[in-house]
mmCIF file of all heavy atoms in Angstrom:
data_model
loop_
_atom_site.group_PDB
_atom_site.id
_atom_site.type_symbol
_atom_site.label_atom_id
_atom_site.label_comp_id
_atom_site.label_asym_id
_atom_site.label_seq_id
_atom_site.Cartn_x
_atom_site.Cartn_y
_atom_site.Cartn_z
ATOM 1 N N THR A 22 27.118 21.959 -27.673
ATOM 2 C CA THR A 22 28.481 22.259 -28.105
ATOM 3 C C THR A 22 28.422 22.981 -29.440
ATOM 4 O O THR A 22 27.745 22.531 -30.366
ATOM 5 C CB THR A 22 29.296 20.967 -28.268
ATOM 6 O OG1 THR A 22 29.204 20.210 -27.058
ATOM 7 C CG2 THR A 22 30.747 21.277 -28.571
ATOM 8 N N TYR A 23 29.125 24.102 -29.533
ATOM 9 C CA TYR A 23 29.164 24.883 -30.761
ATOM 10 C C TYR A 23 30.515 24.682 -31.432
ATOM 11 O O TYR A 23 31.551 24.757 -30.781
ATOM 12 C CB TYR A 23 28.959 26.365 -30.456
ATOM 13 C CG TYR A 23 27.616 26.670 -29.849
ATOM 14 C CD1 TYR A 23 27.452 26.732 -28.468
ATOM 15 C CD2 TYR A 23 26.506 26.889 -30.649
ATOM 16 C CE1 TYR A 23 26.225 27.001 -27.904
ATOM 17 C CE2 TYR A 23 25.265 27.157 -30.096
ATOM 18 C CZ TYR A 23 25.136 27.217 -28.719
ATOM 19 O OH TYR A 23 23.912 27.487 -28.159
ATOM 20 N N PHE A 24 30.491 24.428 -32.740
ATOM 21 C CA PHE A 24 31.713 24.268 -33.518
ATOM 22 C C PHE A 24 31.823 25.462 -34.458
ATOM 23 O O PHE A 24 30.989 25.635 -35.344
ATOM 24 C CB PHE A 24 31.687 22.966 -34.309
ATOM 25 C CG PHE A 24 31.632 21.748 -33.443
ATOM 26 C CD1 PHE A 24 30.429 21.111 -33.187
ATOM 27 C CD2 PHE A 24 32.777 21.255 -32.850
ATOM 28 C CE1 PHE A 24 30.373 19.995 -32.367
ATOM 29 C CE2 PHE A 24 32.727 20.142 -32.027
ATOM 30 C CZ PHE A 24 31.529 19.507 -31.788
ATOM 31 N N VAL A 25 32.853 26.272 -34.243
ATOM 32 C CA VAL A 25 33.032 27.491 -35.021
ATOM 33 C C VAL A 25 34.262 27.329 -35.905
ATOM 34 O O VAL A 25 35.374 27.140 -35.418
ATOM 35 C CB VAL A 25 33.215 28.716 -34.092
ATOM 36 C CG1 VAL A 25 33.390 29.978 -34.909
ATOM 37 C CG2 VAL A 25 32.041 28.838 -33.142
ATOM 38 N N ILE A 26 34.040 27.395 -37.218
ATOM 39 C CA ILE A 26 35.119 27.369 -38.202
ATOM 40 C C ILE A 26 34.956 28.632 -39.038
ATOM 41 O O ILE A 26 33.890 28.839 -39.635
ATOM 42 C CB ILE A 26 35.044 26.116 -39.093
ATOM 43 C CG1 ILE A 26 35.139 24.858 -38.234
ATOM 44 C CG2 ILE A 26 36.136 26.146 -40.153
ATOM 45 C CD1 ILE A 26 34.876 23.572 -38.985
ATOM 46 N N PRO A 27 35.969 29.500 -39.065
ATOM 47 C CA PRO A 27 35.843 30.748 -39.818
ATOM 48 C C PRO A 27 35.477 30.486 -41.283
ATOM 49 O O PRO A 27 36.023 29.601 -41.929
ATOM 50 C CB PRO A 27 37.234 31.379 -39.712
ATOM 51 C CG PRO A 27 37.805 30.799 -38.456
ATOM 52 C CD PRO A 27 37.259 29.410 -38.376
ATOM 53 N N GLY A 28 34.510 31.257 -41.762
ATOM 54 C CA GLY A 28 34.069 31.125 -43.146
ATOM 55 C C GLY A 28 32.994 30.064 -43.358
ATOM 56 O O GLY A 28 32.477 29.918 -44.451
ATOM 57 N N MET A 29 32.664 29.315 -42.316
ATOM 58 C CA MET A 29 31.643 28.270 -42.408
ATOM 59 C C MET A 29 30.506 28.609 -41.438
ATOM 60 O O MET A 29 30.722 29.322 -40.472
ATOM 61 C CB MET A 29 32.244 26.905 -42.028
ATOM 62 C CG MET A 29 33.407 26.449 -42.870
ATOM 63 S SD MET A 29 32.912 25.731 -44.411
ATOM 64 C CE MET A 29 32.079 24.270 -43.872
ATOM 65 N N PRO A 30 29.317 28.068 -41.680
ATOM 66 C CA PRO A 30 28.242 28.291 -40.710
ATOM 67 C C PRO A 30 28.549 27.597 -39.371
ATOM 68 O O PRO A 30 29.266 26.597 -39.333
ATOM 69 C CB PRO A 30 27.008 27.669 -41.362
ATOM 70 C CG PRO A 30 27.454 27.044 -42.626
ATOM 71 C CD PRO A 30 28.890 27.338 -42.846
ATOM 72 N N VAL A 31 28.001 28.139 -38.304
ATOM 73 C CA VAL A 31 28.217 27.573 -36.974
ATOM 74 C C VAL A 31 27.421 26.275 -36.849
ATOM 75 O O VAL A 31 26.225 26.240 -37.120
ATOM 76 C CB VAL A 31 27.775 28.568 -35.880
ATOM 77 C CG1 VAL A 31 27.898 27.951 -34.502
ATOM 78 C CG2 VAL A 31 28.599 29.842 -35.964
ATOM 79 N N ASN A 32 28.101 25.209 -36.467
ATOM 80 C CA ASN A 32 27.429 23.931 -36.227
ATOM 81 C C ASN A 32 27.189 23.774 -34.739
ATOM 82 O O ASN A 32 27.991 24.215 -33.916
ATOM 83 C CB ASN A 32 28.280 22.762 -36.727
ATOM 84 C CG ASN A 32 28.336 22.700 -38.228
ATOM 85 O OD1 ASN A 32 27.419 23.140 -38.899
ATOM 86 N ND2 ASN A 32 29.417 22.169 -38.759
ATOM 87 N N ARG A 33 26.107 23.093 -34.416
ATOM 88 C CA ARG A 33 25.714 22.921 -33.021
ATOM 89 C C ARG A 33 25.321 21.465 -32.796
ATOM 90 O O ARG A 33 24.560 20.893 -33.573
ATOM 91 C CB ARG A 33 24.537 23.848 -32.756
ATOM 92 C CG ARG A 33 23.773 23.602 -31.550
ATOM 93 C CD ARG A 33 22.543 24.498 -31.547
ATOM 94 N NE ARG A 33 21.567 23.927 -30.656
ATOM 95 C CZ ARG A 33 20.743 24.611 -29.919
ATOM 96 N NH1 ARG A 33 20.724 25.915 -30.021
ATOM 97 N NH2 ARG A 33 19.909 24.021 -29.118
ATOM 98 N N THR A 34 25.867 20.885 -31.734
ATOM 99 C CA THR A 34 25.524 19.520 -31.345
ATOM 100 C C THR A 34 24.922 19.568 -29.945
ATOM 101 O O THR A 34 25.500 20.151 -29.037
ATOM 102 C CB THR A 34 26.776 18.622 -31.339
ATOM 103 O OG1 THR A 34 27.376 18.665 -32.621
ATOM 104 C CG2 THR A 34 26.413 17.202 -30.992
ATOM 105 N N GLU A 35 23.762 18.922 -29.790
ATOM 106 C CA GLU A 35 23.083 18.933 -28.498
ATOM 107 C C GLU A 35 22.951 17.515 -27.972
ATOM 108 O O GLU A 35 22.410 16.640 -28.637
ATOM 109 C CB GLU A 35 21.701 19.562 -28.633
ATOM 110 C CG GLU A 35 20.981 19.708 -27.330
ATOM 111 C CD GLU A 35 19.714 20.522 -27.460
ATOM 112 O OE1 GLU A 35 19.547 21.248 -28.452
ATOM 113 O OE2 GLU A 35 18.883 20.428 -26.537
#
Side-chain angles (χ1 to χ4, degrees):
T22 307
Y23 297 94
F24 297 98
V25 180
I26 301 172
M29 301 279 294
V31 176
N32 289 332
R33 165 187 159 146
T34 303
E35 184 171 342

